[in-house]
Each structure stands twice: as C-alpha cells, then as structure tokens.
C-alpha cells in the first residue's frame, strides 16, 4: 500500500512500513492521543462554538480573506406570487429558503443573508479550508436537486408549472466583519461577481466563475460558456455551467496549465524508491506499506501520478487500485473500502442502493471458489451498503462483521495476486481517512 497526505499515517500487519518525507517538514500531528474518528466527531460538534469564539476574539474592523460566495434564488418568484394567495406563496418560498440554508450549512458554509426569494452564503468565513470552493459547488448542485424535488411538490400542491431555482458561485477576496450585518458582513467585488453568476444562470442551472473553476478543475463535469460581461469588470469573464460531480472516489483537483504537460522535476529519487518497493514486493511476496508526508503543494499528488503512469507503462504484473480520501472521510467509517469497491466495480455516486449492491455482488462473487455471494455481501455491508436483510449478514455483531469482512476482502486481494495481478493500493490524501 502506498499513501500520501499532509499528515498521513498507515500501518498494516506483517508488513514493512516506511515513510518518505518530502523536503519540507511534515505538518504538525494533531490530537495524537485520541482516535481520529473521535477527534473528527469532536471537531464537528464544537465547530459552531469555535466559530463563534473566533468571531468574538477577532479584532474590530474589516478583514480581508479569500472566500467562496454562493447566491441562490427562486426564479420568477414575483410572477409566482401574482398567481397564488399570500399564504401559499409564503409556504412555497419559505420551504425553498429553509432547504437552501440547510444544504449550505450541511456543506459547512454560512448563510449571510436571506434575500427575499434566495440566499447569500459564503464558505471560508471563519476558517478557510482548501476545499471551500469544492464544498460550495457541491452545495449548489444539492440546492438544484432539492429545487427539482420542490418543483414537483409545488406543481402537485399549487399547480405551479415553472418553479425553478438557479445558483451562482465565485471565489475571491472580500472584506469581512464590522459592517451593518456584523459578523455576516462580506463586501467586495467577489460578492458582486457571485451575484452576477447567479443572475445570469439559466433556470435550474449552476454557473461558476473561472476563479472557482481553477480550484475545482477535475472534480466536476462542466460546460464552458461564452464570455460574460459583468458590471465593474473590464474584460468579459469566462464562466462554466456545472453539469455534475465527477466520481469522488478517484477524482482529484487538476493542477498546472490546462493542456500543458511538464516533466516532473526534483522527485526522481523518491519515484525510484517507490518503484523499487513495488518490484521488491512482487519478487518477495512480502506486504509493504509506504507513506510520504509534507506540506501542501510540494508535489505529493504529482509523484503518485508518475508512479501510476510508470506501473501502467511497464510489464510489472501489478494492478494499481488508485483511490483518494475525501475531506469528510473521517466521518465515513470504512470509507477507503467503499472507495476501492466503487473504483473496481464502477459504482457511481448517483447509483441507487439496489444498483450499487448488485454491482458489488456481481463484481466480487466470481473471485471466490465458494460462497462468493456471502463473501461479497459481508464486504459490502462493512463498506456501508445495506445488506442487513440478507441471511448471510443478519445477526452479526459489529466485531464479527468486521473480522469476517476483512477475511473476505483479504481473500479477494489474494485471488487477484494468484491470477497474476499483484494489487498495489495507492491512496491520495490519506490524512483525511478514518481510522478503519
């Protein structure tokens, strides 16, 4: 197994474990004495209190910060209000606004203001995260999906045929605090641009600016739009309509200039050590685990991509299983196992539970000599797919399920190796994975 992260750690039984450090010192260990899953729950539970404390301790005056701003609104609310009584209008709009706010907060953004028929929100107000733009775009997609559900309900309950929402997102510098909205004040050109992204989005669509796209490139399927003239911005802006999220188990943010391939510089020694480790495992059959850690931006992801390219280009007899952890991975028990199954058997985030279960069972069962369906269901149940009604799983306590599922998954990996494809698990952003 090979993993990388900003504070990555990995251990495995009967394995040789080594750590490769990049030239900069690794990030500090955080809460080393507590299980990371417990720490993650604690961080989530205390986040509102810490955010409030940070706002109270913040010196007065406007503070500059890069945030991602989201605007969302109900299209044509004025015309809709003209065709309904006041009570029904209030019921429809209030339900839509509550749902928008809940989805923003679920993605760890903050609602700054309700605008009558929409919301203004920001991601990164109290504590900036590298994935704030990603969270904002995912919140926007979730708002659109909720809007489609609300449109069906509005059509059935009130006969409204054209209910729709639209969303705009932009990433840029704003001035925070000390305004008329106190801690919810966010002022600057970035706010105006985000509003323009929303106002110009087609009904039922999400428009993002080029600045936001730069932060999420590779994570979403987008459709480039003609240059858009924005008031206060001299040159027309490149924008994109976001169509869907890419497979989160493998998709990563693309770096560098689009369409330009450059050679890796200064990491040949580390790459050779990784290749030697893979070849040594192939020759000796001894399981190995390697991690490398370092500050963000030092080229860890690039090193993994170079390794994967080398493994695919050479007759090494290896099968690379490349996955990546997510920022919320510590709150997803056995998330890495779920990612392996998703990559191996093409389980999409949009698949229904029934479809996902069928793909996993059909993909795993043939690798076992006997009781293949049982082994597949054990692995699937541990990964979070619901097989609780199956007689193979029903009645198992958590420890028994874990032990038997681990044994089954080990059998799957051994079957891969026995058929000439030595599995090499490559994990990016391992520091976000849960303890499992």
């Amino acid at each position: 197994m090979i993993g990388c992260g900003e504070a990555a750690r990995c251990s495995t039984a009967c394995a040789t474990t080594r750590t490769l450090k990049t030239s900069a010192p690794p990030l500090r260990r955080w809460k080393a004495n507590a299980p990371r899953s417990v720490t993650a729950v604690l961080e989530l539970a205390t986040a509102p209190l810490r955010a409030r404390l940070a706002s109270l301790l913040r010196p007065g005056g406007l503070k500059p910060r890069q945030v991602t701003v989201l605007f969302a609104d109900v299209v044509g609310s004025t015309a809709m209000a003209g065709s309904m009584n006041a009570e029904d209008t209030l019921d429809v709009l209030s339900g839509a606004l509550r749902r928008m706010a809940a989805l923003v907060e679920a993605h760890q953004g903050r609602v700054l203001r309700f605008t009558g028929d929409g919301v203004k929100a920001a991601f990164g107000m109290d504590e900036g995260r590298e994935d704030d733009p990603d969270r904002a775009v995912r919140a926007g997609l979730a708002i659109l999906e909720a809007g489609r559900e609300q449109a069906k309900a509005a059509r059935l309950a009130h006969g409204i045929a054209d209910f729709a929402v639209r969303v705009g997102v932009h990433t840029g510098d704003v001035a925070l605090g000390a305004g008329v909205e106190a801690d919810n004040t966010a002022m600057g050109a970035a706010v105006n641009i985000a509003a323009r992204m929303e106002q110009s989005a087609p009904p039922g669509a999400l428009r993002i600016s080029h600045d936001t796209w730069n932060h999420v490139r590779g994570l979403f399927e987008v459709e480039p739009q003609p240059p858009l003239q924005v008031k206060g911005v001299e040159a027309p802006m490149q924008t994109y309509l976001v169509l869907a999220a890419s497979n989160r188990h493998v998709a990563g943010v693309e770096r560098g200039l689009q369409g330009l391939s450059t050679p890796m510089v200064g990491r040949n020694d580390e790459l050779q050590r990784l290749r030697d480790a893979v070849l040594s495992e192939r020759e000796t059959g001894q399981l190995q685990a390697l991690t490398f850690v370092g500050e963000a931006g030092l080229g860890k992801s690039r090193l993994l991509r170079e390794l994967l390219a080398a493994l695919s280009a050479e007759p090494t007899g290896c099968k690379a299983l490349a996955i990546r952890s997510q920022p919320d991975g510590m709150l997803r028990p056995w998330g890495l196992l779920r990612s392996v199954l998703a990559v191996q058997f093409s389980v999409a985030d949009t698949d229904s539970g029934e479809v996902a279960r069928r793909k996993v069972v059909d993909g795993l069962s043939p690798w076992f000599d006997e009781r293949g369906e049982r082994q597949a269901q054990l692995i699937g149940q541990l990964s979070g797919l619901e097989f609780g009604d199956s007689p193979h799983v029903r009645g198992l306590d958590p420890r028994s399920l874990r032990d038997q599922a681990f044994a089954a998954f080990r059998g799957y990996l051994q079957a891969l190796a026995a058929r000439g494809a030595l599995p090499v698990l490559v994990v990016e952003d391992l520091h976000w994975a849960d303890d499992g």
Side-chain angles (χ1 to χ4, degrees):
M1 173 178 171
I2 299 171
C4 81
E6 294 171 21
R9 60 191 179 95
C10 172
S11 63
T12 182
C14 302
T16 301
T17 303
R18 288 176 282 168
T19 300
L20 304 181
K21 294 186 178 180
T22 49
S23 55
L27 294 179
R28 65 184 183 276
R29 299 180 184 274
W30 55 289
K31 297 181 177 62
N33 295 326
R36 296 168 73 213
S37 56
V38 174
T39 302
V41 173
L42 180 62
E43 291 286 336
L44 182 64
T46 60
L49 295 177
R50 290 186 288 106
R52 180 58 180 163
L53 179 61
S55 67
L56 293 175
L57 297 178
R58 187 185 304 126
L62 293 172
K63 301 296 178 182
R65 179 175 296 171
Q66 178 176 280
V67 301
T68 299
V69 183
L70 177 149
F71 278 86
D73 81 337
V74 176
V75 181
S77 59
T78 302
M80 182 178 66
S83 62
M84 299 168 56
N85 62 48
E87 291 79 5
D88 289 341
T89 301
L90 178 63
D91 178 63
V92 172
L93 290 181
S94 295
L97 295 181
R98 282 194 297 267
R99 186 63 177 145
M100 290 178 186
L103 289 170
V104 166
E105 293 169 357
H107 289 81
Q108 299 187 20
R110 187 204 288 187
V111 174
L112 305 182
R113 182 199 308 165
F114 290 99
T115 60
D117 59 357
V119 296
K120 168 188 175 183
F123 295 75
M125 286 285 288
D126 297 304
E127 181 181 7
R129 308 178 187 87
E130 63 177 293
D131 65 324
D132 281 329
D134 179 13
R135 292 177 184 273
V137 176
R138 292 185 188 278
L141 289 175
I143 289 173
L144 293 184
E145 178 61 29
R148 287 188 284 270
E149 296 174 359
Q150 292 163 336
K152 295 178 182 178
R155 183 167 56 253
L156 292 175
H158 305 289
I160 302 173
D162 55 355
F163 180 96
V165 299
R166 60 189 176 193
V167 184
V169 175
H170 172 67
T171 302
D173 294 330
V174 301
L176 304 178
V180 295
E181 295 174 300
D183 289 340
N184 283 344
T185 297
M187 303 175 63
V191 177
N192 299 331
I193 292 173
R196 181 58 176 146
M197 293 298 105
E198 176 264 310
Q199 294 162 3
S200 61
L206 164 60
R207 185 190 294 271
I208 64 174
S209 67
H210 187 75
D211 296 274
T212 296
W213 176 81
N214 271 332
H215 289 277
V216 301
R217 178 158 53 102
L219 299 180
F220 300 92
E221 299 174 19
V222 301
E223 182 179 282
Q225 298 297 293
L228 178 69
Q229 188 66 56
V230 176
K231 184 178 180 180
V233 179
E234 183 175 348
M237 295 186 63
Q238 176 64 59
T239 67
Y240 307 83
L241 295 183
V242 181
L243 306 180
S246 301
N247 188 336
R248 62 184 284 135
H249 301 288
V250 294
V253 179
E254 297 176 3
R255 306 296 186 188
L257 297 177
Q258 187 179 25
L260 179 63
S261 177
T262 58
M264 185 176 65
V265 177
R267 290 288 182 262
N268 290 332
D269 290 344
E270 288 92 338
L271 177 60
Q272 189 58 49
R273 291 176 65 183
L274 292 174
R275 295 172 67 177
D276 290 345
V278 173
L279 294 176
S280 174
E281 182 179 2
R282 180 65 181 170
E283 294 171 358
T284 65
Q286 182 181 12
L287 181 64
Q288 298 190 59
L290 298 92
T291 65
F292 50 103
V293 298
E295 300 283 355
L298 288 180
K300 301 183 298 296
S301 297
R302 175 61 185 271
L303 189 56
L304 284 186
R305 289 199 298 270
E306 293 291 334
L307 174 64
L308 292 172
L311 292 179
S312 63
E314 301 172 359
T316 58
C318 298
K319 180 177 179 59
L321 310 178
I323 59 175
R324 66 188 299 265
S325 300
Q326 302 298 318
D328 58 354
M330 285 180 284
L331 300 178
R332 295 173 177 266
W334 315 115
L336 291 184
L337 176 61
R338 178 70 173 264
S339 294
V340 171
L341 298 180
V343 172
Q344 283 294 91
F345 307 119
S346 302
V347 181
D349 292 337
T350 55
D351 285 343
S352 66
E354 180 181 356
V355 171
R357 288 190 293 269
R358 184 173 68 251
K359 287 182 177 180
V360 168
V361 171
D362 291 347
L364 280 173
S365 297
W367 291 93
F368 298 95
D369 294 333
E370 56 184 19
R371 298 193 298 175
E373 182 179 3
R374 178 181 185 275
Q375 306 288 60
Q377 290 184 3
L378 289 170
I379 297 171
Q381 178 73 12
L382 186 66
S383 74
L385 298 175
E386 184 52 57
F387 287 98
D389 293 334
S390 169
H392 301 309
V393 174
R394 190 187 310 122
L396 289 178
D397 61 80
R399 180 177 293 275
S400 296
L401 172 63
R402 184 198 63 186
D403 293 345
Q404 293 184 40
F406 274 10
F409 190 67
R410 184 168 59 249
Y412 166 64
L413 296 179
Q414 291 171 341
L416 279 176
R419 300 186 190 184
L422 178 70
V424 178
L425 180 61
V426 179
V427 184
E428 187 173 355
D429 292 330
L430 187 58
H431 58 288
W432 279 333
D434 74 293
D435 284 333

